[in-house]
Amino acid sequence: MRSSLPGTPFLALDVSILDANIERTAAWAAARGLRLRPHAKTHKSPEIAQRQEDAGDTGLTVATVGEAEVFAQQGFEDLFIAYPLWVDDDRRRRLQRLTEQATIAVGCDSVEAAQRLAGLDVDVLVEVDSGHHRSGVAPAQAGELAARIAAAGLPVAGVFTFPGHSYAPGARGQAAAHEASALGEAADALRASGITPRVISGGSSPSLEATGDGLTETRPGVYVVNDAQQWELGACTAEQIALTCHATVVSHAGGRLVLDSGSKVLGADRAPWASGFGRLLDHPDARVVVLSEHHAVVELAGKSLPALGSTVRVVPNHACNAVNLADEYVVFEHGRLVDRWTVAARGMNA
Amino acid sequence: MRSSLPGTPFLALDVSILDANIERTAAWAAARGLRLRPHAKTHKSPEIAQRQEDAGDTGLTVATVGEAEVFAQQGFEDLFIAYPLWVDDDRRRRLQRLTEQATIAVGCDSVEAAQRLAGLDVDVLVEVDSGHHRSGVAPAQAGELAARIAAAGLPVAGVFTFPGHSYAPGARGQAAAHEASALGEAADALRASGITPRVISGGSSPSLEATGDGLTETRPGVYVVNDAQQWELGACTAEQIALTCHATVVSHAGGRLVLDSGSKVLGADRAPWASGFGRLLDHPDARVVVLSEHHAVVELAGKSLPALGSTVRVVPNHACNAVNLADEYVVFEHGRLVDRWTVAARGMNA
């Protein structure tokens, strides 16, 4: 480990806050009787996944075969690829190898996709649309699809959904209610088709606290580090944000703060309801109002500007995309640099 | 070179279109008597930079010291870091090494930043705000700043601006006019301070065609591959788009097309005026209407959906950020895979 700070901009991880987020959420899930299968697409880091496992989490969620390969290689043995995979010949070979290393479950929302999984030693979870309107079948259709997947010779383990419409102001509670009712209806539809759902899986970080009854597991991702979106939605406090981008003040042009943390390090995410392209951890009123590839222009609500050359901590809007732009985390504990962790699954999109 | 296609999603580069873009723009600049110093932050590729140099372009533009290091290492000897650098001790050492490998110019918009450059063998260009309101001084202030930079012992080579407000519908011509007038006023201000500007540098891809008089060089970046933003702004045709993301149709949920090309490969850029999060090259009416990390949901304007498992070509909104997410280009010529090129400067943000 190099002990000196890298040049800005870089992603900094506060390990004390990280650990507190992991432990608090694990305790919450245990108290609720839910399995916690965190989504590793947020952190892409075996070090963080290990801390989640050590806290009692049961298995990991990933989004791609490539992410599954990274975590299987590191010894994680229970992986759910929560995605409606389309398995071509190459992906089939890769999945085959994965099943020799780990227990693999995959998502599915069509008979056609299921047929391409036939013969692989994978569990299948039927994807249900609970209101986010991305992928997944309507809950009432889950039974018929499950029966056809089973007829293709594949074990149907249960149902899953992503209540992504929790990402809007005031929507967390309602999205959690949709999640519970959609999963409940889908699970009933499986039973009506003669299939007992062993796994009833939901989860998003904003809706987590409001999770309803009937789920067996939840798959939040962002909660582990948090970000400006969670902060704005009220799903975390500033004190629970473990990930920031350290940036240098390079200009005071126009009486505003210009930082060297652009969209190539923060990501360009900006939901219609977001108040900016990112926030400053130590200046809660500040907003990134202009973001280009290497400049973040910040308005500070009348406050005096931090000096040219000083370092500020920017909270990315969306942690998952910021992490996917970095090769490493610079790890701090109580303000002291203690380690660097590779973002091992960066760019593993295929 | 592996001759088989990688799994989707991946970035594909059409080398015939790339070459045509390079040659057309080089010929245009030559006819205008302008030096063309393309911005390498778009492509981050020594192979593409070499083709630009072979076409007669004079030097490269980069955004960071890290990008300069990659291109200097590959033998490019004339680099302009078009950014208001803040040079700490480590960056000073790196710039020192760079000046031993290449001719280096850097941007500057404050006396404080200039003082930190003192003693380095770099040319300095004063950054001027021509209406984009990001970094840079007002044109009338350029003379005073240039004089103070010169007083710090640094050679002032001239002035530069980025007319980024060209990125809006109908704004290209006006942004080019602002660029020319701001640079002209700034150059006059330098002369009034006794400094002869050798370099008067502007450039953005949307405003390129409308470039006014008085510039000595232009620094467009995106023109080399183009993207959905340029397409929507009328700065390129569909036939001039060299960069696409090959994506697989993974679902027909909700009667829409769901692709495996999410924001982790396309980038999350969406300007307020953009019609979507990306477009399909072969379906001009289609729009990516929902984008998450691994899903692009496409509406096809009533057309029948491409089959599950088929491949479609997605045009990212912003080429620079899409390229920065990829480790390589998969290079095609007349539809045939011919090579793979590393995105050598990916992630070089510091």
Side-chain angles (χ1 to χ4, degrees):
Chain A
M1 186 200 87
R2 286 174 289 167
S3 62
S4 64
L5 283 179
T8 61
F10 63 83
L11 282 193
L13 185 66
D14 184 312
V15 76
S16 308
I17 300 176
L18 175 83
D19 284 343
N21 292 343
I22 290 172
E23 285 156 25
R24 185 180 62 253
T25 308
W28 170 88
R32 282 292 303 268
L34 279 169
R35 292 166 64 108
L36 179 61
R37 182 186 286 278
H39 210 315
K41 75 177 168 63
T42 298
H43 57 67
K44 292 176 169 282
S45 155
E47 284 83 356
I48 297 178
Q50 189 59 55
R51 283 165 186 258
Q52 291 175 317
E53 188 175 291
D54 292 347
D57 299 356
T58 51
L60 285 179
T61 308
V62 295
T64 66
V65 174
E67 286 184 349
E69 287 167 340
V70 168
F71 287 98
Q73 183 69 32
Q74 296 288 327
F76 294 91
E77 295 184 336
D78 181 359
L79 302 171
F80 171 34
I81 307 174
Y83 193 81
L85 284 185
W86 185 267
V87 178
D88 59 13
D89 291 349
D90 183 54
R91 253 186 207 104
R92 186 177 184 83
R93 278 188 291 272
R94 294 165 64 200
L95 273 172
Q96 175 68 47
R97 279 197 299 273
L98 272 171
T99 61
E100 294 159 10
Q101 299 173 282
T103 298
I104 303 290
V106 304
C108 182
D109 76 352
S110 71
V111 176
E112 294 89 336
Q115 287 166 341
R116 304 190 68 94
L117 290 164
L120 287 167
D121 182 20
V122 295
D123 279 340
V124 178
L125 274 78
V126 174
E127 183 173 7
V128 175
D129 179 4
S130 55
H132 186 42
H133 305 323
R134 192 174 66 180
S135 45
V137 298
Q141 297 172 350
E144 186 195 336
L145 177 56
R148 296 183 67 183
I149 294 170
L154 288 155
V156 178
V159 294
F160 81 106
T161 195
F162 171 60
H165 54 315
S166 62
Y167 278 84
R172 299 160 54 204
Q174 197 176 40
H178 290 161
E179 170 189 58
S181 66
L183 287 173
E185 185 181 351
D188 285 344
L190 259 63
R191 291 184 195 103
S193 289
I195 295 168
T196 303
R198 180 166 46 83
V199 180
I200 301 174
S201 174
S204 80
S205 291
S207 62
L208 190 63
E209 227 175 55
T211 301
D213 292 331
L215 284 71
T216 65
E217 77 172 18
T218 184
R219 312 182 316 277
V222 180
Y223 81 95
V224 74
V225 290
N226 288 311
D227 57 21
Q229 290 189 150
Q230 305 299 325
W231 193 8
E232 300 221 323
L233 293 173
C236 74
T237 65
E239 293 70 30
Q240 292 167 345
I241 295 172
L243 183 79
T244 57
C245 176
H246 285 211
T248 296
V249 179
V250 296
S251 176
H252 284 165
R256 301 189 292 190
L257 207 57
V258 184
L259 308 176
D260 61 1
S261 55
S263 56
K264 280 180 174 166
V265 56
L266 297 178
D269 293 76
R270 182 176 182 174
W273 46 264
S275 65
F277 288 101
R279 297 179 63 169
L280 302 193
L281 188 57
D282 304 301
H283 303 269
D285 294 335
R287 294 294 183 277
V288 178
V289 293
V290 175
L291 187 68
S292 46
E293 291 159 60
H294 299 279
H295 305 69
V297 181
V298 178
E299 285 188 351
L300 264 170
K303 302 234 172 42
S304 65
L305 299 179
L308 286 170
S310 61
T311 302
V312 299
R313 300 190 294 173
V314 185
V315 185
N317 271 352
H318 187 184
C320 308
N321 276 339
V323 167
N324 188 49
L325 288 159
D327 289 308
E328 63 173 12
Y329 294 100
V330 181
V331 184
F332 291 83
E333 187 162 20
H334 305 304
R336 198 171 57 86
L337 191 160
V338 293
D339 211 344
R340 294 181 181 214
W341 294 346
T342 302
V343 182
R346 182 200 57 75
M348 298 297 169
N349 295 307
Chain B
M1 187 199 85
R2 286 173 291 167
S3 62
S4 65
L5 283 178
T8 62
F10 63 83
L11 282 193
L13 185 65
D14 185 310
V15 76
S16 309
I17 300 176
L18 175 83
D19 285 343
N21 292 343
I22 289 171
E23 285 155 25
R24 186 179 63 254
T25 308
W28 170 88
R32 281 292 304 270
L34 279 169
R35 292 166 62 110
L36 180 61
R37 183 187 286 278
H39 210 315
K41 74 177 169 63
T42 298
H43 56 67
K44 292 177 169 282
S45 155
E47 283 84 356
I48 297 179
Q50 189 60 53
R51 284 165 185 259
Q52 292 175 317
E53 188 175 290
D54 292 346
D57 299 356
T58 50
L60 285 179
T61 309
V62 295
T64 66
V65 173
E67 286 184 347
E69 288 168 338
V70 168
F71 287 98
Q73 183 70 32
Q74 296 288 326
F76 293 91
E77 295 183 338
D78 180 359
L79 302 171
F80 171 34
I81 307 173
Y83 193 82
L85 284 185
W86 186 267
V87 178
D88 59 13
D89 292 347
D90 183 56
R91 253 185 207 106
R92 187 178 183 83
R93 279 188 289 272
R94 293 166 62 199
L95 273 172
Q96 175 68 45
R97 280 197 298 271
L98 273 172
T99 60
E100 294 159 10
Q101 299 173 282
T103 299
I104 303 291
V106 304
C108 182
D109 76 351
S110 70
V111 176
E112 293 89 337
Q115 286 166 340
R116 304 190 68 94
L117 290 165
L120 287 168
D121 182 20
V122 295
D123 279 340
V124 177
L125 274 79
V126 174
E127 183 172 6
V128 175
D129 179 5
S130 56
H132 185 41
H133 304 323
R134 192 173 66 179
S135 44
V137 298
Q141 298 172 348
E144 185 194 337
L145 177 56
R148 296 183 66 182
I149 294 171
L154 288 155
V156 177
V159 293
F160 82 106
T161 194
F162 171 60
H165 53 315
S166 62
Y167 279 83
R172 299 160 55 203
Q174 196 175 40
H178 291 163
E179 170 188 58
S181 66
L183 288 173
E185 184 181 352
D188 284 344
L190 260 63
R191 291 186 195 101
S193 289
I195 296 167
T196 303
R198 178 166 47 82
V199 181
I200 301 174
S201 175
S204 80
S205 291
S207 63
L208 190 63
E209 227 175 54
T211 302
D213 292 332
L215 284 72
T216 65
E217 78 172 18
T218 184
R219 312 182 316 278
V222 180
Y223 82 95
V224 74
V225 290
N226 288 311
D227 58 21
Q229 290 189 152
Q230 305 299 325
W231 192 10
E232 300 222 323
L233 293 172
C236 75
T237 65
E239 292 70 29
Q240 292 167 345
I241 295 172
L243 183 79
T244 56
C245 176
H246 285 213
T248 296
V249 179
V250 297
S251 176
H252 284 165
R256 303 190 290 191
L257 208 55
V258 185
L259 308 176
D260 61 1
S261 55
S263 56
K264 279 181 174 165
V265 57
L266 297 178
D269 292 76
R270 181 176 182 174
W273 46 265
S275 64
F277 289 101
R279 298 178 62 168
L280 301 193
L281 188 57
D282 304 300
H283 303 269
D285 294 335
R287 294 294 183 278
V288 178
V289 293
V290 176
L291 187 69
S292 46
E293 290 159 60
H294 299 279
H295 305 70
V297 180
V298 178
E299 284 187 353
L300 264 170
K303 302 234 174 39
S304 65
L305 299 179
L308 286 169
S310 61
T311 302
V312 300
R313 300 190 293 172
V314 185
V315 184
N317 271 353
H318 187 184
C320 308
N321 276 339
V323 166
N324 187 50
L325 287 160
D327 289 308
E328 63 173 13
Y329 295 101
V330 181
V331 184
F332 291 83
E333 188 163 20
H334 306 304
R336 198 171 57 86
L337 190 161
V338 293
D339 212 343
R340 293 182 183 214
W341 294 346
T342 302
V343 182
R346 181 199 58 74
M348 298 297 169
N349 295 306

